[in-house]
Structures are given as C-alpha cells and as structure tokens.
Amino acid sequence: DAKTTQPPSMDCAEGRAANLPCNHSTISGNEYVYWYRQIHSQGPQYIIHGLKNNETNEMASLIITEDRKSSTLILPHATLRDTAVYYCIARVVALTFGSGTRLQVQP
Amino acid sequence: NAGVTQTPKFQVLKTGQSMTLQCAQDMNHNSMYWYRQDPGMGLRLIYYSASEGTTDKGEVPNGYNVSRLNKREFSLRLESAAPSQTSVYFCASSVGLAGGETQYFGPGTRLLVL
C-alpha cells in the first residue's frame, strides 16, 4: 500500500469547513484513497473513499487531484462532534493506518 | 443489525496466560480482519481472512493465532501473553478483499498484560 503523509494536527472553527490534506505521491493505479476517523479510542469510523473521481456523501466530500498524488477531505460544516483523529489511507487490500491528523474543532 | 461485535471489552492478563478474543459480524461479509492499536499509534494488521476457511498473516502476526470459525466469526488467540501485547484490538469486516470494499470496525477489546 502507498505511504500517505498528513499534518499531525489542525484546528477548525465550529460551523466552518474543515479541509484535511493528504499526500500519497507513490499511489498506484489500483489503490483507493480511504478516509476514516477515530473518536477517542472508539473503533475507526468509515467516512468516504474514491479511486479517481471526486466523491461526496452525507458526511464529507473527497477531492482527488488529477494525478492522484494528493487528496483533500472536506467536512462542510464542522461541529464539535467532528473532533477526532482522521486517517488517510491508500489501499489495495488491507488498510495501513499512519498517525493521522488530529482535528480539533473550536467553539 | 449489530454490525461488528467484540468480546470481551476489557481484559487483564498475567504474562504467560492465554486468551481468545472473539469477533462476530452480522452483515454477511466474506472478509474479516484483526488489527492492534498501540497508544498514540495507527492500527496495524495482525491477520485477515479473505473468506471462510482461509487466513493470512498481516504486518504483525507473531505471538498470535486466528480461527475463522464460520462466515460470521473470526477469533484471535494469544497462546502466551507478553507485556508487548498490551494494546487495543479491533476486528473489522468487509464484503470482500478488493480495494473498493469498505471495512467496518468493531468497538475494540482493551487488553493489559502485566
């Protein structure tokens, strides 16, 4: 699986959009980009995934660059409940979790 | 649907003791996984099972054994627990192994080995 690089921490004001970047410059053509989050020590929660095209669901949007070397997860209106560690993963089979980005949503 | 369930939630063992962590899913998924998460770290894959009757090693299999009992259940066994196995253990399942198949996680088992 391709290695991903994320900033260790970010802050976001409540109600504003949170944009979480991820670099995966060594991603191969058959690797999907997945985003999970982990709140406290709960089990990781699936957010969204994509291969080439941008994706949107009820939780978030995923923007993948045309060369697929980076992506951005967008939480359109962050709330305090979105405070968590967010993991970006480039995956073929099993998920390989790095250290993630700790997002702190401020009131 | 309960999704992925794990038992027990917490366990304290002494060095050298054995135990089995249980995992079950009710989503009719073919593939199941065991991960461990050490404090402040991401998850690492221990073992996975692509389908009933098959198991394969992940990144950190040493000290563990697994059994895919049936399609629903996937257990993880520690034969002789060591302090280095103190961790939170997560089970996950997916429809299949393919990259586009989403994995869903259980709540975890917190294990302390003294």
Side-chain angles (χ1 to χ4, degrees), chain B residues 90-105:
Chain B
F90 291 102
C91 178
S93 71
S94 63
V95 170
L97 278 189
E101 302 289 356
T102 300
Q103 291 185 23
Y104 297 94
F105 285 80

Side-chain angles (χ1 to χ4, degrees), chain B residues 1-99:
Chain B
N1 278 359
V4 180
T5 56
Q6 295 183 234
T7 55
K9 288 187 171 60
F10 303 96
Q11 185 70 47
V12 179
L13 291 178
K14 295 180 180 178
T15 297
Q17 288 185 317
S18 62
M19 79 163 294
T20 300
L21 283 66
Q22 305 287 354
C23 174
Q25 52 90 10
D26 63 1
M27 296 177 281
N28 201 33
H29 284 171
N30 293 304
S31 302
M32 298 184 73
Y33 314 79
W34 276 105
Y35 292 86
R36 63 176 285 176
Q37 185 175 32
D38 298 330
M41 308 284 287
L43 282 71
R44 292 182 293 170
L45 183 67
I46 305 172
Y47 271 93
Y48 65 99
S49 170
S51 60
E52 188 178 351
T54 69
T55 61
D56 284 287
K57 295 178 180 179
E59 182 186 354
V60 288
N62 290 345
Y64 304 95
N65 287 302
V66 290
S67 295
R68 184 72 183 268
L69 304 170
N70 48 54
K71 190 172 185 179
R72 289 188 64 247
E73 299 172 288
F74 189 37
S75 63
L76 178 72
R77 183 161 177 83
L78 287 70
E79 290 292 351
S80 178
S84 61
Q85 294 178 304
T86 292
S87 192
V88 181
Y89 292 84
F90 291 102
C91 178
S93 71
S94 63
V95 170
L97 278 189

Side-chain angles (χ1 to χ4, degrees), chain A residues 1-10 20-27 33-35 68-73 86-90 96-101:
Chain A
D1 292 347
K3 180 179 169 57
T4 60
T5 304
Q6 301 176 250
S9 64
M10 294 180 62
L20 289 82
C22 179
N23 182 287
H24 32 79
S25 58
T26 61
I27 196 169
V33 178
Y34 272 81
W35 284 85
R68 299 206 333 119
K69 294 187 178 201
S70 65
S71 61
T72 301
L73 177 73
Y86 287 77
Y87 295 99
C88 168
I89 300 157
T96 301
F97 287 75
S99 299
T101 295

